[in-house]
Structures are given as structure tokens and as C-alpha cells.
Amino acid sequence: MPYFSSQMSVEPGSASVLQKTSADVTEGRAAVPASFLPAAGSPPVEWLIDDVPVRYPDAVAGMETQVAAITAGEAAERVWLVEHPPLYTAGTSAKPRDLLVADRFPVFDSGRGGQYTYHGPGQRVAYVMLDLNRRRHDLRAFVATLEEWIIRTLAAFNVRGERREGRIGIWVPRPDMGGGREDKIAAIGIRVRRWVTFHGIAINVDPVLEHFSGIVPCGVSEGGVTSLADLGRVVSMAEVDAVLRREFVPLFGETVGAAAEEFPG
């Protein structure tokens, strides 16, 4: 499967982007205008929150169903907020050596771009299913806008998240730890099919950070992993969800609530 950048997978049907290199997407994102609003008159993005942990295969099946319906013009775009039971996922460029403890948690091939990552309770995963045909065919701008969404959400809790050139995701400087250390607080991994996106972002709210020790997260061994709770911000998942929705609107457009039973799959 063709892919580019460390956190992105692009399937046939989005062929014009396959000529891009990793640098086209991962470099210079800070200078990209952070806005990915749809064309005027587009329907709102459906907003769904699952209140119980979602099995990873069920999440993938649900995304596949929704993406197929969006592509066919039969469904609205959707953001789906979930937590998962403890597990590791392997992206299309995952290296076996980066799975440090193979028998600790279930490991799933994800089909998204990127390498190994951890999902579990206390981490908010947002699966972002948007039709870029209604917006624009610019994956670097899409990734930059996802990053801006995370940065604005963290800022609401007085956490300064930052981009890093050549790496996708959001990092927090840790001067308290010394040595110029920085820790990753949020990851991004997406897949694109016929210009419809799926998979998405993960923000560490209050997961068990030791669970990340079974992998080299996203293939990056420098720095550590942190969370809002680790940084002293004790907030509920509901508070994070409310800010995510508020900050989504000026970047990606209006939302409308969707009942859990409406989600296919």
C-alpha cells in the first residue's frame, strides 16, 4: 500500500498526492494556515461520543462502514470519540523491533500510517472521517489543522503543545525534567481513501503512562510520553470532549450530535 510520512497512509483513489514526499507533509506545517472549513452549504459534521470502551476491530469496522457511505454520498462526515481497552496498534511502517513486549497487550495491524502506538483507558481517541472533496486536496494543511485543533484544546487547560518539524504529533517541553527534554502528549495517524479521511488523533488525558513502555511510540525514542494528569491538569474526559468540540468548529466547521445507536457497524 502506498503511504508517505511517518503517520499517514494513502490508498489508490487519492493518486495525485502520491507524488508528495514525507517532507511535503511533515515540514513547514507551522506556516500553513490552520483552517479546513468545508464548502459553503455543506451539512454539519456528526459528533458521536461512545461512553463505553470500544474494541479496536469494532472501531475499524465502524470507520470502514462510515467511510464507504461518505464516499458514496450516503452519509455525513463524522467525528467519533472513543476510549479503547489497553492495546497496541501497528501502522504501515511499524518496525518489529519497536514492539518491545510482544505479549503484553493485543497488537492490531491498523492500516493507518505510522508505526506503533498505544491506546487505552484515559486516552481520548478521535476518529476523524472527513470528505476532503468538500474541503480541499491538501494533506499537509489537513495535518496542520489537526495539530492546531490539539494545540488549542491543550491550551484551554494551560498546556503549551508544540509541533516539531519532521515529526507528526504534539510535544510538550519539560524544563522541569532537565536536559532539554520534551514529551509527546498527542499522536496523529490517518488514512485517506478517495480523499475521505479516517483514523485520527489521540490525546493523553490520564492513561497509565507505563503502558507505553512496551513499544517505541511512533518510532521515536527521544523524549518521553506525558498526559494532562502527568502535567498536573486533573480534568475529566467530558471536559476534554467539550473543548475538543468547541475548538473543532472554527477549524473544520459546525457539528451536530449523533446518537450512538446511529453508528453503523
Side-chain angles (χ1 to χ4, degrees):
M1 176 182 297
Y3 63 89
F4 59 91
S5 95
S6 61
Q7 295 297 116
M8 205 170 301
S9 177
V10 181
E11 299 185 14
S14 301
S16 63
V17 301
L18 298 181
Q19 303 305 314
K20 292 180 178 291
T21 66
S22 297
D24 288 326
V25 176
T26 62
E27 302 292 344
R29 299 185 314 283
V32 176
S35 176
F36 226 76
L37 295 170
S42 296
V45 177
E46 293 184 339
W47 192 270
L48 174 66
I49 302 174
D50 238 302
D51 294 327
V52 297
V54 176
R55 294 175 60 249
Y56 191 75
D58 294 340
V60 173
M63 284 190 286
E64 289 282 356
T65 300
Q66 187 74 9
V67 166
I70 293 171
T71 302
E74 299 171 352
E77 299 171 298
R78 177 164 284 182
V79 172
W80 185 20
L81 304 185
V82 307
E83 290 179 84
H84 288 301
L87 58 91
Y88 299 128
T89 66
T92 54
S93 53
K95 301 177 179 64
R97 67 175 180 270
D98 288 342
L99 180 60
L100 304 179
V101 186
D103 58 353
R104 185 172 193 180
F105 298 126
V107 181
F108 297 94
D109 290 329
S110 68
R112 59 160 173 77
Q115 301 186 45
Y116 284 105
T117 194
Y118 166 78
H119 295 312
Q123 182 190 70
R124 176 50 86 210
V125 176
Y127 290 126
V128 182
M129 290 160 273
L130 298 181
D131 186 356
L132 303 193
N133 296 295
R134 306 178 191 179
R135 297 161 188 273
R136 65 185 190 275
H137 294 177
D138 187 336
L139 289 180
R140 183 173 66 163
F142 177 63
V143 170
T145 308
L146 289 175
E147 290 177 326
E148 183 65 19
W149 181 29
I150 298 168
I151 288 169
R152 293 185 185 188
T153 298
L154 295 174
F157 302 106
N158 296 313
V159 171
R160 180 181 174 182
E162 299 179 354
R163 296 177 177 87
R164 288 293 177 263
E165 290 297 304
R167 287 183 269 163
I168 294 178
I170 299 301
W171 302 77
V172 178
R174 300 297 303 270
D176 55 310
M177 306 293 286
R181 174 169 163 163
E182 57 185 13
D183 289 346
K184 194 168 188 177
I185 194 169
I188 298 174
I190 66 170
R191 191 170 181 175
V192 182
R193 178 184 298 150
R194 299 186 183 278
W195 292 108
V196 177
T197 70
F198 52 127
H199 296 275
I201 70 171
I203 300 176
N204 296 332
V205 179
D206 188 15
V208 178
L209 294 180
E210 197 274 332
H211 287 177
F212 286 87
S213 66
I215 57 172
V216 178
C218 302
V220 179
S221 56
E222 300 84 4
V225 179
T226 191
S227 67
L228 287 172
D230 183 51
L231 296 171
R233 276 62 168 183
V234 180
V235 299
S236 69
M237 196 66 76
E239 289 175 293
V240 173
D241 292 347
V243 175
L244 278 168
R245 188 169 186 176
R246 184 189 74 199
E247 298 301 336
F248 181 90
V249 172
L251 296 171
F252 294 100
E254 295 294 332
T255 65
V256 63
E261 62 268 23
E262 293 175 357
F263 195 87

